[in-house]
Amino acid sequence: MKHLLLTALLSGMSGVSLWAQSINMPIIQTKYTADPAPYVHGDTVYLYTTHDEDYSEGFMMKDWLLYTSTDMVNWQDHGVVASLKDFPWYKGDNGAWAECVVERNGKWYMYCPIHGHGIGVLVSDSPYGPFKDPLGHPLVWRQEHWYDIDPSVYIDDDGQAYMYWGNPYTYCVKLKEDMISIDGDIMTMDRIDDYQEGPWFWARKNDKGEKWYYLAFASTCCPEGIGYAMSKSPTGPWKHMGHIMDHTPRTRGNHPGIIDYKGKSYCFGLTYDLFRLESSRHAERRSVSAAEMTYNADGTIKELPYFQDCKLKQIGTFNPYRRVEAETMAWGYGLKTTRENPSGPWNETLFVTDIDDGEYILVRGIDFGKKGALKFHASCSSQLYGGRMEIRLDAVDGSLAGAIDIPNTKFKYREFITDVTQCNGVRDVYFVFKSTSIQKKNLFNFDWWKFDK
Ligand code: FUB
């Protein structure tokens, strides 16, 4: 580790990110993200997050983002799927706090606290949006700054939906089948030991087939860990069961999101680990992290170490023989994603930008098959000198499988094609960006890629 750190310090930004990959770092690197709300539907994890602006000092949060994955390590960015502007009754430009999303009968419901203004709800026909406000007012709002934050919605086996939320008390209310109105009174739970905020509510059967309800939460601030409580009933009483992750000064805030996916269980949370690559001071520039989590036979949860020391292994492999959006990555520190060409036309889809000399995108576990790939296609645009994209295997300085040179395209996207060699079996692929001129920053933009057999 020390050797890697030294290499990192000696070789600048790409070295730092290379070192960071040797530990379990945040799963999203192109933006600061917080408050993970993962939701499994079909074979995909839909990961909704909040968004700390790059310049945030305190909380500066305007919109909600979506990332998807089918293997837990390569995440596709879908950009902003909802924002404060989707709530006509709210006129401010900050306060887009910890959301939660569930699907029911083909409709997707996003529960969004606007800090100090209650919890609103948005509805869409698609997980990707557009989301619309069906109510025109908050779903719950008790005129208090901290009470109505951090909703967690879960639909029980009998079809009854519950919403938990709150700081420093835990509230619960039943939702009607329409998912946009409450059914009965708001219940206040007895104070759960070590509870601070960020409840995450779900149910599961233990090895004996006994059903338990779970409430994970950000444990007392600060620093927050992730605690949990269990109950035999969806509305408590709750028994504090200890930590999923202990309090640690290595982070300050936390916020759990827990799922079962493809036979494993995962705990998402938040850290400041990406910001730590840049600064030791405090600012609310957080990043979503994830770890595999396991249950004991009786349904209690095995405590995890801090995210950096956890494991997150790829499930299955990645198919390269289709159009893949460039903003799909296991690691892309230093890069940005946007729809907006800074000096060119608005783009239909997201693309990767802010590409500087030496930076790279890592896509893990690409399965090229036995015979392998023969050609590589990439859609790129540039407005000045352009640059070079190298396709390297298994390491940022691994064997060179091919390269494309991207000239000035006058902002327009063009498809570049090159022959590739050695692309067979399952390989980690690094798209490494190189300067070919005096221009070292913002070399070009990258929209999508694919390999051909
Ligand atoms: O992200 C804003 C607030 O910080 C959330 O609502 C809390 O859970 C904490 O993560």
Side-chain angles (χ1 to χ4, degrees):
M1 185 72 89
K2 259 195 184 146
H3 167 72
L4 283 168
L5 181 56
L6 189 65
T7 314
L9 294 172
L10 293 174
S11 60
M13 197 61 98
S14 67
V16 169
S17 65
L18 194 60
W19 164 74
Q21 269 177 52
S22 64
I23 52 179
N24 188 37
M25 283 293 279
I27 55 179
I28 311 296
Q29 307 86 36
T30 53
K31 291 191 183 80
Y32 290 111
T33 56
D35 307 319
Y39 189 79
V40 176
H41 191 72
D43 75 338
T44 301
V45 181
Y46 295 86
L47 172 63
Y48 296 87
T49 75
T50 54
H51 177 196
D52 291 333
E53 295 291 330
D54 282 358
Y55 56 86
S56 297
E57 290 300 328
F59 293 118
M60 181 52 67
M61 304 164 75
K62 301 169 185 294
D63 43 35
W64 293 276
L65 311 175
L66 172 62
Y67 299 84
T68 56
S69 179
T70 53
D71 65 12
M72 287 300 294
V73 300
N74 295 303
W75 291 91
Q76 182 179 342
D77 187 340
H78 298 272
V80 172
V81 287
S83 83
L84 292 171
K85 294 197 178 101
D86 294 314
F87 293 100
W89 44 271
Y90 181 66
K91 301 291 174 218
D93 68 349
N94 190 8
W97 279 26
E99 78 304 342
C100 168
V101 178
V102 294
E103 184 268 350
R104 184 166 208 166
N105 299 330
K107 299 250 182 243
W108 291 72
Y109 299 88
M110 182 185 280
Y111 300 86
C112 301
I114 300 182
H115 186 218
H117 298 268
I119 297 174
V121 58
L122 299 172
V123 188
S124 172
D125 293 329
S126 151
Y128 307 100
F131 284 91
K132 296 245 172 339
D133 178 358
L135 296 178
H137 57 80
L139 176 63
V140 292
W141 169 219
R142 271 112 18 95
Q143 314 291 317
E144 202 283 339
H145 218 58
W146 285 92
Y147 285 3
D148 298 326
I149 66 165
D150 297 353
S152 171
V153 174
Y154 179 78
I155 305 171
D156 205 356
D157 299 335
D158 61 2
Q160 178 62 58
Y162 299 86
M163 181 168 84
Y164 271 90
W165 75 101
N167 172 350
Y169 299 100
T170 323
Y171 307 103
C172 174
V173 76
K174 288 182 178 172
L175 296 180
K176 290 191 178 151
E177 206 180 333
D178 65 8
M179 301 296 279
I180 58 168
S181 41
I182 63 173
D183 193 359
D185 293 336
I186 294 173
M187 297 165 259
T188 305
M189 299 293 115
D190 286 341
R191 196 90 168 78
I192 301 167
D193 281 351
D194 208 21
Y195 174 91
Q196 181 71 61
E197 57 182 353
W200 185 266
F201 175 57
W202 78 106
R204 181 184 177 274
K205 284 190 181 142
N206 68 11
D207 287 4
K208 282 193 190 149
E210 298 160 341
K211 183 170 177 183
W212 283 98
Y213 292 90
Y214 293 81
L215 202 64
F217 49 84
S219 49
T220 328
C221 195
C222 291
E224 292 178 336
I226 298 176
Y228 79 109
M230 289 169 73
S231 174
K232 277 302 211 183
S233 146
T235 52
W238 292 98
K239 183 167 181 229
H240 181 229
M241 302 301 292
H243 298 115
I244 298 176
M245 188 175 289
D246 204 350
H247 304 253
T248 164
R250 292 164 83 183
T251 187
R252 178 187 159 98
N254 220 322
H255 188 112
I258 289 168
I259 52 167
D260 287 339
Y261 182 58
K262 296 188 176 173
K264 293 179 185 292
S265 301
Y266 295 93
C267 175
F268 293 71
L270 63 85
T271 72
Y272 295 70
D273 291 347
L274 209 64
F275 185 50
R276 287 287 158 266
L277 296 177
E278 288 157 31
S279 175
S280 56
R281 69 187 182 84
H282 180 72
E284 295 298 350
R285 296 181 208 172
R286 301 162 296 170
S287 299
V288 167
S289 291
E292 194 179 329
M293 185 186 94
T294 45
Y295 292 87
N296 297 306
D298 63 357
T300 54
I301 297 172
K302 290 201 171 106
E303 190 174 325
L304 291 170
Y306 181 58
F307 282 111
Q308 275 179 25
D309 307 324
C310 286
K311 299 251 174 311
L312 189 63
K313 285 200 191 127
Q314 183 171 9
I315 304 175
T317 51
F318 192 92
N319 171 13
Y321 299 118
R322 61 189 163 128
R323 172 177 160 143
V324 178
E325 296 303 318
E327 60 277 5
T328 307
M329 58 187 83
W331 187 260
Y333 182 63
L335 305 169
K336 289 283 163 205
T337 61
T338 183
R339 288 179 203 276
E340 199 178 354
N341 257 333
S343 38
W346 186 261
N347 205 45
E348 291 274 300
T349 62
L350 275 176
F351 58 90
V352 175
T353 190
D354 214 346
I355 293 176
D356 299 341
D357 185 36
E359 292 178 341
Y360 61 90
I361 288 173
L362 162 62
V363 183
R364 280 204 194 278
I366 289 189
D367 188 358
F368 288 109
K370 242 192 192 159
K371 286 200 180 146
L374 298 175
K375 291 216 180 290
F376 174 72
H377 305 238
S379 174
C380 299
S381 75
S382 134
Q383 62 267 36
L384 204 52
Y385 290 96
R388 188 175 167 84
M389 185 190 319
E390 297 178 347
I391 301 134
R392 293 194 174 265
L393 301 175
D394 302 324
V396 71
D397 55 356
S399 354
L400 184 65
I404 53 176
D405 286 309
I406 296 128
N408 183 340
T409 66
K410 300 189 177 147
F411 308 118
K412 292 217 165 57
Y413 274 95
R414 261 175 52 192
E415 185 175 339
F416 298 87
I417 307 177
T418 187
D419 292 342
V420 287
T421 57
Q422 311 159 70
C423 292
N424 40 34
V426 177
R427 318 293 292 263
D428 288 343
V429 171
Y430 291 73
F431 300 116
V432 187
F433 309 116
K434 296 273 173 75
S435 158
T436 48
S437 69
I438 55 162
Q439 189 187 341
K440 303 292 173 210
K441 291 187 175 291
N442 296 310
L443 303 177
F444 51 86
N445 297 323
F446 184 14
D447 193 9
W448 58 263
W449 58 266
K450 69 170 183 161
F451 286 88
D452 279 343
K453 289 184 190 179

